[in-house]
Amino acid sequence: MPPHGKRRLSPVATLLSLLFLFAYTASAAYAVLGIDFGTEYIKAALVKPGIPLEIVLTKDSKRKEGASVAFKPLTSKILSSESSVFPVRIYGGDASALSARFPGDVYSNLKPLLGLLFKDNDVVAGYRGRYPGLRLVEEKERGTVGFQSESFAETEDPFLVEELIAMEFNNIRQNAKALAGKGSAIQDVVITVPSFYTAEERRAIKLAADLADLRILALISDGLSVGLNYATSRTFPSITEGGKPEYHLIYDMGAGSTTATVLRFQGKTIKDIGRYNKTIQEVQILGTGWDKTLGGDALNEIVMEDMIQQFIGAGRMKTIGVKAEHIKEHGRTMARLWKEAERIRQVLSANAETISSFEGLFYEDVNFKYKLSRTEFEKLTSGYAKRVQSPIKRALESARLSLSDLESVILHGGAVRTPFVQKQLESTIKNPEKIRTNVNSDEAAVFGAAFKAAGISPSFRVKDIRAGDIAGYAFGIAWSSGGKEKHQKLFIPTSHTGTEKQVTVKVTGDFSFALNQRLSDAPLEVPVAKIQTLNLTSSVQKLTERYGCAPTDVSTQFSVRLSSVDGLPEVTRGWVSCEVTETTEKKVGVVDGVKDFLGFGVKKRDQEPLRDDEDAKSSTNDPSGESSTVSSAKESKATDSEASARAEEDKLKEPKKRIETIHIAYSIEVAGSPPLSAKSLRRIKDRLIAFDNSDRSRIKREEALNTLEAFTYKARDYLEDEAFISASTDEQRAQIGDQFKSASEWLYGEGADATQEILKARLDELRMLIDPIQKRKDEAARRPEEVKALEDALQQTQTMVNLLTQERESKASAEEAASSASATESQPTEAPPPPSSDEFADLDNETSTSTTATVTETPAPPVMPVYTAEELAILTAKQESVRKWLNIKLAEQEKLSPRDEPALLSSDLAAKSKELNAALMDLLQKKMQQTPPKLSTGKTKTSKTKKAATKTVKAKISNTESADDAQKSEDVDDFLKKNMPGVRRVTAEELLGGMKGGKKGDKAESGREEMKYDENTPEPDSEETMEGKRTEKKRKANEKKKSKTKSKGRNKAAKGTRAKAAEKAKPEPEHGEL
């Protein structure tokens, strides 16, 4: 087997690889999606050919979707996930609106719970206190957070946080498909994450995307996505040309957290394809800072706490002795207070004070009114105001910059609109002009994520902006050697993704090592992955036995890289190596072997040069005196060659050193929370599929219900319609009224919970009563119009048949008369050439004898297509057949009443009209598409001057055709005036122009004409006047033709220069070919 890396793929494997690559490229070419996954809202932007960076709207046409999903309970609990009916899933704002009614099945703001363990976690405890109606449980397999739904039985497995977020992602994906259009496939996605996300949280996001059948192209930091959107419309100084980079800080305060990101923007010239260079834009993170709990939710919680304190201090609640713990344990009350607290905070951002009122809060007969001013709100949040500046300071320290180095501070996020937050930022920055709002504070991150996705996908070409994310945390490697624990730092928090490092360990036996993540708030390193070598011991043994390597000289190395997809370290390869000393000999190639065989090769190593006595003997035996000189020269060359060969052989025998390498096989195990088992993953996906199928069935059932309900309302209009009444009997209308009344009552009773099949069956029963009557009504309305259309088609066909018959008879008479006249005038003429007066005649080398030209003329193309009697008979038979059918059907229909089933259907009438028109058009187009015949001439020449005869024939044909065409045009005009007043003659240019594209040459050559009606045509002349005109025109045309033919026959074509001049001066014939 060839060594690894040098194997050649078979043609079949190569073809399959190309097909797979093509299929992947085609699928990626559909669309990509950028998702800004926030704590309170989810926003998405789509990139598709024809749709560049478009916000994905919700079903309510909103530009952002609430990060909530709710299960609307059914009348009975679902016993297991194998049931075909599941609760109704509702998303976004509609789901949040149900929190007061169903607090145990509305799941909001799930982002902070990603990747967290259930036990001993302050974030989990805070979430449980904020949403007391939800049942948080521990997921047994991994120990993470799960939710027990009230819509399912206790035996049903809990819903994972990743599973619920996957539902939200899938909802976003469906909205994106609606925007992209039917048939669009959306799978590739880039998702924003906070820069403080750990390995557990990043893996949880990837799991949620996988459950939603999304393929993550990359996870991008919130701040970097905003900076990427900022750079798409700007150009920065090029450091290659001496420019200085720009430094900006992105301050992002959302609902759940606050981050500060220092970015460097710069231009740079790099080498492009070939000899060209190009300038790119770079956006790189230099440092980050964050506060994981500072955000809009924290401010809402402060307002809610104040509301609870005022509520329990009210008169009746104080008397009853209700405490804050009682309120916080009541799910519906807390849901109402939380929703109102968020509204109050948003209102105070633009107003000085606000008032809220509650009815039936905690108890049905308890009302509560709450009032809060902006001043009081700022006093309540004074402790949070000091935390606003901490992310900025930490980011600047990480980037090793100061506030004076910043060009601006760009604000992003919904909570930055809070007045006290802006005041704290101004006091921290100390220069209000640096605080900018030059990006969309709600949508800049999602646009940056979508731009990143388009840049990664091979299906799009975007502005070349190189974005560099960082690790966020420090990463290291730990292993045991000689009973000691060893650690080595690999990456620092500001290391950029894509960076690769090599680690050398002095271990010669199979071992395991861990990649650790050092969190800023944890004293110890957290393991990310464990790697176990599989063939290290055998590889080292192979090096020692085969190559003689000492164990101390063996080096074990691994290459570790920060993934550009999720920002986590990954082992790309491992190998063991040592330095080998060897003696090599020069190998004789095929060419050298052939040279040796033919005697042209170099001297072999075992071949010795001649000795002195042998050389002298050879010299003595040579009788010539010149032989001694040649022998001496050969001896000198042999000596030099021997020395050169020995030197080369000594050089080859010198010891050489090389590195012998063997690749290490290893296995990787995820550390921390274990991944889901294959069984659990299959179970969760099956449950999500069952939810999707239930949603589709529910939608179809609702459509069937709406259709049936609308049909019952429409029955009232039917029973009051005059046309419907005339097409139905009293008994039928009475039956319809009873059936529709029964259906209406059933819909608001048992039918409310009926299945889709039952609803469709009831609808079919009602339609069986309505459809026959409606059909008779529609037929009675459409029949007169269709009958008139068919009669018009019959009349047009009859008119065309008459016209073609008359034209055929007229054409036959005209051709007979033209043939008689042509036979008389086309007698051959022979005359001796007159004496030439041309002074250049003697220069002709050809001998002149006699000139005899016999020209046989072909009749000109017909004016109109001539149809055979059989073709006209077929069309006439078709017309008579349709006429007979129509008369029979009309007679049958007249005997029927409006309540009877019609004998003559409008569809049959339309089909007959189409059939008749098709027969007529087939006949006309068959003749029109024929190529017009070309003129041909028969010539017999016994002359040396063929040019003169050719010109004579051309002139004769041209004149003859002109006279015949003029005569035939007059005949057609007279025929139209006499037999079809109001009809005019149009040229072939008009007729053939629309059918063939209308080339001028074809129109002039064909000479065909078509009849069209013209109301402005004058009254036709009498028959006697027309006959006289035709006779006179024929006589003049014949005389003109004879005179021109004789004059042309008496003249010879000029020779030499005069002949050429005459040829140029003479006009070409208008039509006809030789």
Side-chain angles (χ1 to χ4, degrees):
M1 178 181 293
H4 181 73
K6 296 183 180 181
R7 302 174 186 173
R8 292 186 177 181
L9 295 176
S10 64
V12 176
T14 304
L15 180 60
L16 292 177
S17 302
L18 292 175
L19 290 176
F20 174 78
L21 179 62
F22 175 76
Y24 173 78
T25 305
S27 63
Y30 287 148
V32 292
L33 198 64
I35 297 179
D36 180 16
F37 180 52
T39 303
E40 186 177 4
Y41 292 101
I42 302 177
K43 295 173 281 291
L46 179 71
V47 180
K48 180 181 180 290
I51 306 179
L53 291 178
E54 183 71 21
I55 287 290
V56 177
L57 302 180
T58 67
K59 293 179 175 62
D60 300 332
S61 299
K62 295 180 181 179
R63 298 180 69 85
K64 56 184 179 181
E65 185 80 274
S68 302
V69 57
F71 299 160
K72 190 175 181 180
L74 301 175
T75 55
S76 60
K77 289 188 176 182
I78 307 300
L79 299 180
S80 67
S81 59
E82 297 178 358
S83 175
S84 60
V85 181
F86 279 74
V88 179
R89 289 184 297 183
I90 303 175
Y91 300 95
D94 295 338
S96 300
L98 296 175
S99 59
R101 294 179 56 193
F102 310 107
D105 270 325
V106 179
Y107 310 96
S108 303
N109 299 14
L110 298 171
K111 182 179 179 180
L113 299 178
L114 278 171
L116 300 183
L117 298 177
F118 179 77
K119 295 181 179 179
D120 302 330
N121 196 297
D122 296 337
V123 178
V124 176
Y127 189 89
R128 175 183 291 176
R130 187 177 299 170
Y131 302 100
L134 296 175
R135 292 182 56 191
L136 275 71
V137 297
E138 182 181 6
E139 199 273 326
K140 298 179 181 179
E141 186 174 348
R142 300 189 304 162
T144 56
V145 180
F147 293 91
Q148 195 70 45
S149 173
E150 294 183 354
S151 299
F152 291 82
E154 294 290 336
T155 56
E156 179 66 13
D157 293 322
F159 288 87
L160 301 182
V161 176
E162 295 87 348
E163 185 177 359
L164 296 173
I165 292 178
M167 295 181 184
E168 298 177 5
F169 283 167
N170 187 58
N171 176 56
I172 292 292
R173 182 185 182 186
Q174 298 303 320
N175 295 338
K177 284 185 177 181
L179 174 63
K182 186 177 180 180
S184 298
I186 299 175
Q187 191 175 16
D188 296 337
V189 63
V190 169
I191 303 177
T192 63
V193 294
S195 55
F196 57 80
Y197 255 25
T198 63
E200 296 290 344
E201 293 164 319
R202 292 174 183 267
R203 287 171 179 164
I205 281 285
K206 294 175 64 177
L207 175 59
D210 179 64
L211 293 175
D213 197 21
L214 293 174
R215 180 172 54 242
I216 291 183
L217 297 177
L219 298 178
I220 183 173
S221 301
D222 293 328
L224 181 60
S225 61
V226 175
L228 193 57
N229 175 252
Y230 179 79
T232 53
S233 58
R234 293 169 175 84
T235 301
F236 303 99
S238 175
I239 59 174
T240 309
E241 300 175 359
K244 294 183 178 180
E246 297 181 5
Y247 300 98
H248 299 265
L249 186 142
I250 309 297
Y251 191 84
D252 185 4
M253 178 180 284
S257 61
T258 300
T259 60
T261 307
V262 177
L263 299 175
R264 179 176 63 195
F265 299 85
Q266 63 186 16
K268 188 177 182 181
T269 302
I270 62 174
K271 186 170 181 58
D272 199 3
I273 300 175
R275 297 176 298 174
Y276 300 97
N277 296 331
K278 66 176 181 179
T279 301
I280 63 172
Q281 306 297 312
E282 287 186 341
V283 182
Q284 295 180 345
I285 297 180
L286 300 183
T288 57
W290 57 76
D291 190 328
K292 293 184 179 181
T293 59
L294 177 61
D297 285 353
L299 303 180
N300 297 342
E301 192 169 2
I302 292 176
V303 176
M304 187 179 65
E305 288 287 344
D306 187 61
M307 294 171 70
I308 293 175
Q309 295 299 324
Q310 292 190 26
F311 179 62
I312 62 177
R316 183 177 177 184
M317 302 301 296
K318 187 176 182 180
T319 304
I320 298 175
V322 177
K323 297 182 180 180
E325 291 77 10
H326 300 153
I327 302 297
K328 293 180 180 180
E329 292 175 356
H330 196 267
R332 293 187 177 181
T333 301
M334 289 294 292
R336 294 180 64 184
L337 291 176
W338 178 264
K339 184 178 180 181
E340 191 62 22
E342 182 180 1
R343 189 194 69 83
I344 289 174
R345 177 183 63 83
Q346 294 175 353
V347 171
L348 290 179
S349 297
N351 298 276
E353 64 178 13
T354 183
I355 300 176
S356 298
S357 299
F358 299 89
E359 295 182 359
L361 186 63
F362 195 70
Y363 290 110
E364 294 183 359
D365 56 345
V366 174
N367 300 329
F368 174 62
K369 182 177 290 186
Y370 178 75
K371 180 179 180 180
L372 184 66
S373 65
R374 181 186 296 178
T375 304
E376 295 173 347
F377 173 69
E378 292 179 355
K379 289 181 181 179
L380 294 173
T381 58
S382 58
Y384 288 86
K386 299 178 182 179
R387 296 166 56 182
V388 171
Q389 59 183 351
S390 60
I392 299 177
K393 294 181 178 180
R394 183 176 177 181
L396 291 174
E397 291 175 0
S398 177
R400 299 180 181 180
L401 295 175
S402 62
L403 286 172
S404 59
D405 297 325
L406 298 178
E407 297 284 339
S408 68
V409 176
I410 301 173
L411 303 183
H412 186 265
V416 295
R417 301 186 182 94
T418 308
F420 83 85
V421 173
Q422 295 184 356
K423 291 180 182 179
Q424 287 294 324
L425 289 175
E426 290 177 359
S427 62
T428 302
I429 302 302
K430 298 179 182 180
N431 186 0
E433 295 182 356
K434 284 189 175 183
I435 299 178
R436 307 283 177 80
T437 57
N438 47 8
V439 299
N440 190 326
S441 60
D442 288 329
E443 299 175 354
V446 68
F447 280 133
F451 186 88
K452 176 75 171 180
I456 296 175
S457 173
S459 303
F460 301 95
R461 184 178 181 181
V462 297
K463 182 179 179 181
D464 197 346
I465 301 177
R466 309 290 174 87
D469 215 332
I470 62 174
Y473 295 99
F475 290 95
I477 182 174
W479 73 96
S480 298
S481 179
K484 296 182 180 179
E485 294 290 334
K486 295 188 177 183
H487 300 268
Q488 182 177 343
K489 183 180 292 186
L490 292 177
F491 305 103
I492 61 176
T494 56
S495 296
H496 286 88
T497 57
T499 304
E500 188 169 354
K501 290 188 176 181
Q502 295 180 359
V503 182
T504 303
V505 293
K506 288 293 183 180
V507 179
T508 57
D510 286 318
F511 76 111
S512 63
F513 62 92
L515 298 176
N516 300 327
Q517 184 179 38
R518 179 178 291 277
L519 304 180
S520 56
D521 53 355
L524 300 177
E525 293 182 347
V526 179
V528 175
K530 293 182 179 179
I531 292 87
Q532 175 67 48
T533 62
L534 303 178
N535 64 338
L536 179 59
T537 302
S538 60
S539 299
V540 173
Q541 184 179 1
K542 183 177 180 180
L543 290 176
T544 56
E545 294 178 357
R546 179 177 298 182
Y547 302 101
C549 297
T552 56
D553 296 335
V554 175
S555 174
T556 305
Q557 292 179 305
F558 292 91
S559 180
V560 184
R561 179 180 60 193
L562 274 178
S563 173
S564 58
V565 176
D566 56 10
L568 300 179
E570 57 182 0
V571 177
T572 59
R573 60 194 180 100
W575 66 96
V576 60
S577 62
C578 73
E579 191 177 68
V580 179
T581 303
E582 64 177 6
T583 302
T584 61
E585 293 185 357
K586 183 179 179 181
K587 297 181 180 180
V588 180
V590 176
V591 177
D592 294 335
V594 174
K595 289 183 178 180
D596 292 342
F597 178 77
L598 298 176
F600 299 106
V602 296
K603 182 181 67 178
K604 297 182 179 180
R605 296 176 184 175
D606 57 353
Q607 181 180 355
E608 297 180 358
L610 292 174
R611 292 188 296 272
D612 294 340
D613 55 350
E614 295 179 356
D615 188 22
K617 183 178 179 181
S618 175
S619 176
T620 305
N621 295 333
D622 191 347
S624 110
E626 188 176 327
S627 176
S628 176
T629 305
V630 174
S631 178
S632 299
K634 287 183 178 181
E635 180 182 355
S636 176
K637 289 183 179 180
T639 304
D640 295 340
S641 176
E642 177 186 359
S644 175
R646 287 179 178 177
E648 182 180 357
E649 184 176 357
D650 295 340
K651 184 178 180 180
L652 290 174
K653 289 183 179 180
E654 291 180 0
K656 287 188 175 182
K657 295 182 180 181
R658 62 180 178 86
I659 303 298
E660 186 65 30
T661 302
I662 300 177
H663 290 279
I664 300 176
Y666 54 87
S667 62
I668 300 176
E669 179 183 356
V670 176
S673 298
L676 284 174
S677 63
K679 181 179 179 181
S680 299
L681 190 63
R682 184 70 265 169
R683 173 183 56 80
I684 293 175
K685 289 188 175 182
D686 289 342
R687 184 161 61 180
L688 290 174
I689 294 174
F691 255 113
D692 294 338
N693 295 334
S694 176
D695 288 344
R696 282 191 290 267
S697 299
R698 175 180 55 83
I699 292 173
K700 292 181 179 180
R701 179 196 171 277
E702 291 176 353
E703 292 176 353
L705 179 63
N706 294 336
T707 303
L708 178 58
E709 187 176 7
F711 199 71
T712 57
Y713 287 127
K714 199 173 183 180
R716 303 172 185 176
D717 300 334
Y718 286 143
L719 297 177
E720 296 176 359
D721 187 10
E722 294 294 336
F724 189 86
I725 293 174
S726 63
S728 60
T729 62
D730 296 337
E731 293 78 8
Q732 290 174 336
R733 292 193 297 274
Q735 184 182 5
I736 291 172
D738 295 339
Q739 289 290 337
F740 275 78
K741 182 179 179 181
S742 174
S744 298
E745 295 175 355
W746 177 80
L747 277 176
Y748 297 102
E750 299 177 359
D753 298 328
T755 61
Q756 177 188 354
E757 290 74 16
I758 296 177
L759 292 172
K760 291 182 67 176
R762 292 299 296 265
L763 180 61
D764 293 339
E765 292 177 2
L766 298 178
R767 281 180 172 170
M768 288 177 63
L769 300 175
I770 294 295
D771 289 349
I773 303 175
Q774 187 68 22
K775 180 181 178 181
R776 294 195 296 268
K777 171 190 168 184
D778 296 339
E779 286 294 333
R782 291 196 298 263
R783 189 182 302 113
E785 182 180 354
E786 294 295 339
V787 169
K788 185 178 182 304
L790 182 56
E791 289 179 346
D792 292 342
L794 288 168
Q795 184 62 33
Q796 292 175 2
T797 304
Q798 184 62 43
T799 303
M800 185 57 67
V801 169
N802 296 338
L803 177 62
L804 296 178
T805 303
Q806 294 176 7
E807 188 272 339
R808 184 172 176 276
E809 296 174 355
S810 176
K811 182 62 181 177
S813 302
E815 288 180 352
E816 183 178 357
S819 299
S820 301
S822 176
T824 304
E825 298 168 2
S826 59
Q827 297 295 331
T829 60
E830 181 175 349
S836 175
S837 60
D838 190 357
E839 59 182 347
F840 300 99
D842 295 335
L843 299 177
D844 195 355
N845 294 327
E846 297 182 7
T847 59
S848 177
T849 57
S850 61
T851 303
T852 302
T854 302
V855 180
T856 303
E857 299 180 5
T858 303
V863 178
M864 293 184 61
V866 179
Y867 301 92
T868 63
E870 291 77 6
E871 293 173 336
L872 296 178
I874 293 174
L875 183 59
T876 303
K878 174 65 69 176
Q879 186 257 354
E880 292 177 352
S881 173
V882 174
R883 170 67 71 182
K884 183 179 180 180
W885 175 86
L886 178 61
N887 293 336
I888 294 174
K889 289 295 183 180
L890 287 175
E892 293 177 358
Q893 185 64 37
E894 290 177 358
K895 298 177 182 180
L896 301 176
S897 66
R899 299 178 180 86
D900 298 328
E901 289 298 322
L904 183 58
L905 299 179
S906 59
S907 58
D908 295 339
L909 290 168
K912 290 294 182 180
S913 298
K914 185 178 181 181
E915 180 182 350
L916 194 61
N917 291 331
L920 179 60
M921 292 306 298
D922 289 343
L923 180 61
L924 295 177
Q925 290 182 2
K926 182 173 67 174
K927 289 296 183 180
M928 294 301 180
Q929 292 174 358
Q930 292 178 359
T931 305
K934 296 182 180 181
L935 295 179
S936 61
T937 59
K939 294 175 280 292
T940 304
K941 298 182 178 63
T942 57
S943 172
K944 67 181 183 70
T945 55
K946 296 183 180 180
K947 268 188 184 178
T950 301
K951 292 185 178 181
T952 303
V953 173
K954 281 187 177 182
K956 181 177 181 62
I957 291 175
S958 177
N959 297 331
T960 303
E961 288 178 347
S962 300
D964 290 345
D965 290 345
Q967 181 61 43
K968 291 171 184 176
S969 298
E970 293 294 336
D971 293 343
V972 174
D973 291 336
D974 294 342
F975 172 77
L976 294 177
K977 290 179 181 179
K978 178 180 178 182
N979 298 282
M980 301 183 67
V983 178
R984 69 178 181 88
R985 173 174 56 85
V986 293
T987 63
E989 181 177 357
E990 295 176 336
L991 179 62
L992 298 180
M995 298 178 61
K996 296 185 179 180
K999 291 185 179 180
K1000 292 183 179 180
D1002 295 337
K1003 298 169 187 174
E1005 184 179 343
S1006 63
R1008 297 179 178 175
E1009 299 175 350
E1010 179 182 331
M1011 307 304 168
K1012 289 188 179 180
Y1013 289 98
D1014 189 356
E1015 297 179 355
N1016 299 323
T1017 304
E1019 294 295 330
D1021 296 334
S1022 62
E1023 186 175 357
E1024 294 79 3
T1025 306
M1026 292 170 57
E1027 185 65 27
K1029 288 182 178 179
R1030 287 196 295 268
T1031 304
E1032 181 64 22
K1033 288 181 179 179
K1034 286 182 179 180
R1035 185 184 62 82
K1036 290 182 178 180
N1038 291 334
E1039 291 180 356
K1040 185 176 181 181
K1041 179 177 62 176
K1042 290 179 181 180
S1043 61
K1044 288 187 176 181
T1045 302
K1046 292 179 180 180
S1047 61
K1048 292 296 180 179
R1050 289 193 299 263
N1051 296 328
K1052 287 185 177 180
K1055 299 293 191 297
T1057 307
R1058 292 177 60 187
K1060 293 180 182 179
E1063 179 68 20
K1064 292 182 180 180
K1066 186 173 181 60
E1068 291 292 335
E1070 295 181 359
H1071 56 276
E1073 295 182 6
L1074 288 176

